[in-house]
Amino acid sequence: MDPRIIAINERVKSIRNVIAVVSGKGGVGKSIISTIMALQLSRMGYKVGLLDTDFTSPSTHIILNAEELTPKEDRGVIPPEIHGLKYMTITYYTKNNPTPLRGIDVSNALIEILSITRWGDLDYLIIDAPPGISDIILDLLRINWRIKFIVVATPSKLALETVRKLIKLLEEQGGDIIGIIVNMVMGIVTTEYRGLGKRVLVEIPFQQDLEDKIGDVEELLESMIGRKVEEALKLIVEESP
Amino acid sequence: MDPRIIAINERVKSIRNVIAVVSGKGGVGKSIISTIMALQLSRMGYKVGLLDTDFTSPSTHIILNAEELTPKEDRGVIPPEIHGLKYMTITYYTKNNPTPLRGIDVSNALIEILSITRWGDLDYLIIDAPPGISDIILDLLRINWRIKFIVVATPSKLALETVRKLIKLLEEQGGDIIGIIVNMVMGIVTTEYRGLGKRVLVEIPFQQDLEDKIGDVEELLESMIGRKVEEALKLIVEESP
């Protein structure tokens, strides 16, 4: 076993719940939904961390307007706080440069970040995972923690097939799936997702003015997508230890 | 040098132009645009191949309604023809199963497919690349062929930063960028993309009924996105050898 995994297992002992937000395809709103989820949980009074593991195209720092943050080092890295969240992202280190990480490096970056980060006591760690079936997802499953998955999807033929595959993979690997959030619904019936044997937590209508809310946390939480994610969260929180 | 790369260089000698369709984020319409591009070029009378390299979430087979195709083997693999295209996709081999490929396997899958495929004479090979800065893009740049890149983006703050990074990476690696296609434009001014020093080939308005056209090639080509991609293609064809 990679000795860093042992170190990680030690570091994450004080995290009660880990929720990885995953998607079959990109561009379905996964980063926005995971960021909102972390923010809402924090407002509910929980101690919350947010980790962006979409290393090749991170975007949570733009949603949080966190481009100026820098972490402190003290026997590891202390995640900076923003809007009440402990927040970690690779952009602290890469700034605006491209990160042409090959698969093995992506995997290393995750293991590296998790081995150095001192989350401390957390009720929830929300992970924004890269889209698709990636090394990151396989790695998240190697760590000894209470991880569950939320799948974000859109009502599109192209999305449905990748979601079906993702769910199959997660189940084959023993992943625990909380449910599906269907985003960008435009009056199209999304019964397909009800056929996958997983609970649909919430359906979020397409929000045309979403672009204007990016970078403004208050407005984002008050907007329709903010309220819909909160609905889903209430279901999740009830079931969490 | 990987001996398979030498074999690939031999196999691809008879391809005059290679265009890889890339994107910063997923879900921007890259697969639809690359498929339309291949179909339109074929209608213009060119010999065209289409290769789906988005191995973990392929979708061109759904757009082409090509789920029943199977390739023949004869001193390599002969790509099956559909709608006038020579078409290769990993779904011939994986069917509807998830492909939890780690980075190195993704890279191997590309090298493997390219070493076995007998494209024969082609005027254009269109490659649907995975979103983001991936192993696939780094590998495509290792092959000795005339490859150019088209970047597909949407007018979103989250997309813009990843596109900037992708362009920077491609340029650092010596990649030749034809231009940017801005998709899903909803009345938002997309002047940002004009600031990246790359030509905007075409702006495609958001097409609400696109979902209904998926799997029906004729309707897709006649629809707004089909006609807009054709506009961009005319520019590209004029400049191709």
Side-chain angles (χ1 to χ4, degrees), chain A residues 62-197:
Chain A
I62 306 174
I63 303 166
L64 286 170
N65 203 355
E67 279 151 304
E68 305 301 320
L69 280 187
T70 321
K72 287 211 176 63
E73 299 204 9
D74 174 17
R75 291 162 295 144
V77 170
I78 317 279
E81 296 209 13
I82 184 163
H83 307 298
L85 304 177
K86 293 186 178 177
Y87 175 55
M88 276 299 283
T89 165
I90 203 169
T91 56
Y92 296 146
Y93 305 102
T94 58
K95 301 296 173 193
N96 282 321
N97 296 311
T99 30
L101 300 175
R102 284 193 168 260
I104 188 75
D105 305 322
V106 166
S107 192
N108 269 325
L110 175 73
I111 299 299
E112 209 47 46
I113 281 201
L114 285 173
S115 12
I116 58 174
T117 307
R118 295 179 59 195
W119 293 105
D121 244 24
L122 288 184
D123 295 308
Y124 289 94
L125 175 64
I126 304 295
I127 298 178
D128 183 21
I133 295 165
S134 67
D135 287 18
I136 295 289
I137 292 180
L138 299 175
D139 284 321
L140 290 175
L141 286 161
R142 292 163 65 199
I143 298 165
N144 182 24
W145 54 11
R146 194 187 300 273
I147 190 166
K148 294 188 175 180
F149 295 85
I150 288 180
V151 180
V152 179
T154 55
S156 146
K157 282 179 202 133
L158 301 187
L160 181 65
E161 179 162 326
T162 60
V163 169
R164 187 183 287 126
K165 284 183 190 165
L166 180 63
I167 290 178
K168 193 168 170 191
L169 172 87
L170 284 172
E171 294 196 320
E172 281 170 5
Q173 307 277 332
D176 191 349
I177 300 168
I178 299 176
I180 303 172
I181 292 181
V182 188
N183 191 23
M184 303 185 186
V185 175
M186 288 191 288
I188 300 158
V189 185
T190 58
T191 46
E192 298 91 328
Y193 287 106
R194 305 195 181 272
L196 297 180

Side-chain angles (χ1 to χ4, degrees), chain A residues 39-76:
Chain A
L39 290 166
Q40 302 276 30
L41 282 167
S42 160
R43 301 217 165 177
M44 291 176 190
Y46 295 107
K47 288 181 224 151
V48 184
L50 174 64
L51 172 63
D52 191 333
T53 65
D54 191 357
F55 299 132
T56 58
S57 14
S59 50
T60 54
H61 62 296
I62 306 174
I63 303 166
L64 286 170
N65 203 355
E67 279 151 304
E68 305 301 320
L69 280 187
T70 321
K72 287 211 176 63
E73 299 204 9
D74 174 17
R75 291 162 295 144

Side-chain angles (χ1 to χ4, degrees), chain A residues 26-27 56-57 61-62 96-98 100-103 107 133 135 138-139 156-157 161-162 165 168-169 211 214, chain B residues 24 26-27 56-57 61-62 96-98 100-103 133 135 138-139 156-157 161-162 165 168-169 211 214:
Chain A
T56 58
S57 14
H61 62 296
I62 306 174
N96 282 321
N97 296 311
L101 300 175
R102 284 193 168 260
S107 192
I133 295 165
D135 287 18
L138 299 175
D139 284 321
S156 146
K157 282 179 202 133
E161 179 162 326
T162 60
K165 284 183 190 165
K168 193 168 170 191
L169 172 87
E211 188 59 26
I214 289 171
Chain B
T56 59
S57 15
H61 62 297
I62 305 174
N96 282 322
N97 296 311
L101 300 175
R102 285 194 166 260
I133 295 165
D135 288 17
L138 299 174
D139 284 320
S156 146
K157 282 179 201 132
E161 179 163 324
T162 60
K165 284 183 189 164
K168 194 168 168 192
L169 171 87
E211 188 58 29
I214 289 170

Side-chain angles (χ1 to χ4, degrees), chain B residues 138-159:
Chain B
L138 299 174
D139 284 320
L140 290 175
L141 285 161
R142 290 162 68 199
I143 298 164
N144 183 25
W145 54 12
R146 194 187 299 272
I147 189 166
K148 294 188 176 180
F149 294 85
I150 289 181
V151 180
V152 178
T154 55
S156 146
K157 282 179 201 132
L158 301 186

